Amino acid sequence: MINPEELAKHYTRFRVTERILLTGHSHQAWPDVAFEAQQQAWLDTAEHVDDVWDLAFQKANDVRRGFARLLDDTPERIALAENTHELVVRFLSALPLRKRPQVVTTDGEFHTIRRQLDRLAEEGIEVIKVPAMPASTLAERLAISVDDRTAAVLVSAVLYANAHIVPHLRLVQEACDRVGAELLVDAYHALNVVPFSLIEEGLQRAYVVGGGYKYCQLGPGNAFLRFPLDTGLRPVVTGWFSEFTDLSRPAAGGRVTYGPGPARFAGATYDYTSHYRAAAVFKFFEEQKLTPQKLRELNQHQIEMLSGRARNDAIGGFLAIPEPRAAKVQRSLRRQGIWTDYRGDVLRVGPAPYVTDAQLRTAVAALRAA
């Protein structure tokens, strides 16, 4: 099992031993290697100037490999961007919404999907929102909502508001396959805390979005879209990096072409510093043998300590506590050096692998007092 006391020694700049960071579901601390990598990005740019992009693309490939390992997939199917919204928009822009003007989703999606689909609904796209709870039957209810007018289904693997795991997503994939619709799974709250193998889940045909801001400890600027091998989607919202490998040829008129593999969903010039940081953190996780399975085991132990209840395999990486005074409680805990967050009347408490049992006992006492 992971030893949080030993692991915490690698997070000195975030001062994880001086304060109790229970925001693991929102923003985990970065290991110290991330600081060194971020400095290296600056130094490489100063040394190589415009030629630094060759090094930057190598880092991007390392990041693709890191995400692919977590998904049980291959790097050639991983497109990168600075945030999931960019990638969701490119995905949506490629759907045949004139012919199939319906999108199916849930009422429990993160704001990235929720807000964008609400705006599309204002423009006449039919957006069906299936109640997210109970999560145990959500996949079945989504599946029966899909018909030949559906362009895509967008659903989370783990609900962001309460950490409930959504099982049996292969049923949604099968429903989409029957009518020729696409499935996009938001795996952000599963990635690196709840094992999520596309093969085991039966989701090889799915599109998957996620990123490194939370459980991967990569910081901002590290999001991905995983796409199936035979994708033929042509994003309307497309950046010039999609033709980066063909810039030596003059632009031709007619049909817009797309680069190979991840270039299909590429954007444009980005800050590659985030990829330096992410590549270093992925390497650190490998060296420390921090696999999703081991992280899940530790996380469930920590959730048990925080909740005082037996392990619940239907819950993801954090604890959602109903509390009408959630904002007041969150502020009270912060004054004691205990970092949490809240959404409405729900206090969210998320451990991380560098949080020790002693810190958790302190947090539990403070929570009870509050």
Side-chain angles (χ1 to χ4, degrees), residues 82-291:
E82 300 217 22
N83 54 68
T84 55
H85 181 253
E86 285 186 37
L87 295 162
V88 168
V89 166
R90 287 175 208 155
F91 170 80
L92 292 172
S93 77
L95 297 177
L97 292 174
R98 287 195 181 95
K99 295 180 180 178
R100 307 177 74 118
Q102 182 189 88
V103 176
V104 178
T105 188
T106 84
D107 65 0
E109 298 308 305
F110 186 68
H111 311 302
T112 293
I113 289 174
R114 186 268 309 164
R115 177 179 170 85
Q116 195 62 67
L117 293 187
D118 285 353
R119 184 64 184 90
L120 281 177
E122 292 179 356
E123 297 301 315
I125 300 300
E126 182 184 3
V127 177
I128 297 176
K129 291 189 177 183
V130 176
M133 296 299 289
S136 59
T137 61
L138 177 54
E140 290 87 344
R141 290 180 285 114
L142 283 169
I144 63 175
S145 301
V146 176
D147 59 34
D148 58 9
R149 299 179 69 251
T150 304
V153 177
L154 291 83
V155 59
S156 292
V158 177
L159 300 177
Y160 90 98
N162 57 21
H164 284 229
I165 296 172
V166 181
H168 313 309
L169 286 175
R170 71 174 65 210
L171 298 178
V172 186
Q173 182 66 73
E174 291 167 359
C176 288
D177 289 342
R178 283 194 292 270
V179 300
E182 307 291 357
L183 170 63
L184 183 141
V185 178
D186 182 349
Y188 221 135
H189 270 287
L191 205 69
N192 220 29
V193 71
V194 177
F196 189 76
S197 165
L198 294 174
I199 296 173
E200 293 178 9
E201 298 290 337
L203 296 175
Q204 295 97 321
R205 294 266 314 123
Y207 295 80
V208 181
V209 290
Y213 192 73
K214 305 179 189 298
Y215 306 98
C216 291
Q217 303 179 6
L218 310 183
N222 288 296
F224 72 88
L225 170 68
R226 182 270 177 188
F227 53 89
L229 178 63
D230 59 350
T231 182
L233 291 187
R234 302 179 68 249
V236 174
V237 179
T238 180
W240 69 276
F241 268 39
S242 190
E243 56 188 41
F244 197 92
T245 57
D246 281 336
L247 288 179
S248 58
R249 298 192 306 177
R255 189 176 174 87
V256 172
T257 60
Y258 296 81
R264 178 175 292 269
F265 296 94
T269 310
Y270 61 92
D271 182 359
Y272 47 77
T273 303
S274 60
H275 288 167
Y276 270 76
R277 189 175 61 237
V281 174
F282 272 136
K283 182 180 179 182
F284 169 78
F285 267 63
E286 281 193 281
E287 292 172 345
Q288 297 294 320
K289 297 181 172 56
L290 301 176
T291 64

Side-chain angles (χ1 to χ4, degrees), residues 64-65 68 73-79 227 229 260-263:
R64 289 190 183 93
R65 283 191 287 270
D73 203 28
T74 62
E76 294 76 19
R77 299 181 196 176
I78 304 290
F227 53 89
L229 178 63

